[in-house]
Each structure stands twice: as structure tokens, then as C-alpha cells.
Amino acid sequence: MPWDRTKNRTREEIQRDETVRLPYADRTEAGRVLAERLAPLGLEGAVVLALPRGGVPVAYEIARRLDGPLDVLVTRKIGYPPQPELGVGAIAEGGSPVYDEGLLGRLGLTEDDLAATLEAERAELDRRVMAYRGGRPLPETSGRPVVVVDDGLATGGTARAAVRALRERGPARLVLAVPVGAAETVRRLEPEVDDLVVPAAPWDFRAVGQWYRDFDQLTDRDVIGRLERAGRTTASDNGPR
């Protein structure tokens, strides 16, 4: 996998070997670059699960390239109550909350202190599941290769919650694929999956959006529209010839 090349390498060697031109134009371009990195891994027909909202247009390009079904795996960040943008944990549908225990300790928090926040995030997670899938369950992943996709990795909290929830569902092979991620976050996530594909892992990482020229915020309608397009494409591709 591409990230393997960074093991035991110096920062200068990693940067010298970088072959991805950043920033990406947009999530579509990033998805096409990522799809080409995934294509040699023997993942044809894999279930492709996007972390909405930003992961959906990236995953759309991957599902087209791998000729696999596209769906979403909904996650929610669990924020520090006085500063909600600071994620202290995350939850994915079908999984248990995953907390940053070190950060909780530094903030003097316990999991019980976050009970109300967790309840609110579960409610929003359920709302989004209903909005995106209308009550339809996740695709069957047991015994199948699964590719989890997001548009980038900053702290990696939601990605960790996602892959742990999926691991419990027994995939034959669990792959995490993102176009760009903070180098240290990528290293920490590597043991969580069977394959980790990250074409670019800059050391000077501040936010996912800095690595895209066009990083518009997406809406629920954007997510639903892309999922519907993927469904129509799959139906067309698999129809009578």
C-alpha cells in the first residue's frame, strides 16, 4: 500500500518521493487520483462506503472505478461541550463511541460528562441515516472487501470510529482510503485496517481544506443526489447488454 513507503523514512525522503500534486482541484479530482491508487489492489466489486458529507464525491469516483456499490457510513464527531469544534471522540452507525482518552484526561473529562453530547450526536446520526438511506440498512459487508473513504484525515477520530464499527461486521478486507491526511494521523490509523491508501501525507497539515482549491461545503441534498446517481449508474452498467 502507498503509505508503506513512509515507514522508517526520513521526512526529507518522504517529501522527495511525493508524486501527488497538491492542492487537488476538488473532491472529484481527488477521487480519481485515489481510485487509480486503489485499482491495482484487487478490490473490484468492493463495497465503497463514504463518510458524509465530504467523502461522498471522492467515493463516487472510486465506486465507478472499482465497479462496486456506493453507500454512506454515517459518523458524528463528539465535541468538547465548551468548544464543540474540538473533537474528543466520535461515533459511527452500528458502533460504540470511540474517545481520545489522552485528550479527555488533559481536559479533566470522563465519558459520563459527555452523555448529553453523545445523545445529541446519536440523534443527528439517526436523522442523517434516515435522510440518506430512508431506513435502508447498510449493504452487507460480512466476507466482502470494504473501502472506507473520506476527503481527508485531520485528527482521524471519525475514521477510527468508522473502521472499528465496520471491523465488527466481519469484512474480508478492510481498506481506508483518503486523498490526503496529516502524517502522524495516518501513522496512528495504520494498525486499524488491512490496507491504508493515502497518496499524500504532508507534515505541515493544518486542515483538510488547505489541500483543495475548491472545498465547498456540501449539503444533505448533495449527498443524496450523488448516491442516486451512483445507483442509476450501477443499474445501467449491470442491465441487459
Side-chain angles (χ1 to χ4, degrees):
M1 56 187 176
W3 180 247
D4 278 347
R5 63 186 167 85
T6 68
K7 289 183 177 179
N8 302 317
R9 307 293 301 281
T10 68
R11 173 175 173 170
E12 289 75 18
E13 287 172 329
I14 294 167
Q15 290 175 331
R16 187 169 61 246
D17 288 349
E18 182 56 70
T19 58
V20 177
R21 180 174 295 177
L22 297 175
Y24 294 109
D26 53 22
R27 292 180 180 92
T28 295
E29 181 192 58
R32 290 172 181 165
V33 170
L34 193 51
E36 291 306 312
R37 296 298 180 95
L38 289 163
L41 300 185
L43 295 166
E44 289 76 12
V47 178
V48 180
L49 295 176
L51 304 189
R53 299 182 179 106
V56 174
V58 181
Y60 178 84
E61 300 300 325
I62 293 169
R64 291 182 63 193
R65 183 69 171 80
L66 300 182
D67 195 24
L70 172 66
D71 215 321
V72 290
L73 178 71
V74 182
T75 59
R76 292 294 297 170
K77 178 173 65 178
I78 302 170
Y80 176 45
Q83 187 180 343
E85 286 304 308
L86 176 59
V88 296
I91 187 168
E93 56 179 304
S96 302
V98 175
Y99 292 101
D100 184 332
E101 299 295 343
L103 183 54
L104 289 184
R106 292 193 294 276
L107 293 171
L109 289 174
T110 68
E111 294 180 16
D112 288 343
D113 295 329
L114 296 165
T117 301
L118 175 60
E119 182 178 0
E121 294 302 343
R122 283 191 189 276
E124 176 60 15
L125 187 151
D126 291 343
R127 184 199 70 79
R128 292 196 182 197
V129 170
M130 183 59 65
Y132 300 154
R133 293 206 305 272
R136 176 172 49 81
L138 276 170
E140 181 57 57
T141 57
S142 178
R144 301 181 64 180
V146 177
V147 183
V148 179
V149 183
D150 205 354
D151 57 5
L153 289 173
T155 65
T158 53
R160 179 174 288 105
V163 297
R164 289 187 180 180
L166 282 169
R167 182 67 80 185
E168 296 177 3
R169 298 170 64 90
R173 183 177 179 186
L174 183 55
V175 180
L176 176 60
V178 294
V180 61
E184 287 304 314
T185 299
V186 173
R187 288 189 186 277
R188 289 195 299 269
L189 281 170
E190 188 173 8
E192 302 275 354
V193 292
D194 300 313
D195 296 277
L196 181 59
V197 181
V198 186
W203 293 91
D204 56 339
F205 195 104
R206 296 184 301 277
V208 174
Q210 80 183 99
W211 306 107
Y212 290 85
R213 289 198 296 274
D214 179 354
F215 196 67
D216 288 346
Q217 294 301 305
L218 303 177
T219 66
D220 286 353
R221 181 172 294 181
D222 294 325
V223 171
I224 294 165
R226 197 62 64 100
L227 292 175
E228 289 177 346
R229 281 181 60 193
R232 287 196 297 270
T233 300
T234 300
S236 174
D237 289 346
N238 293 335
R241 297 183 183 275

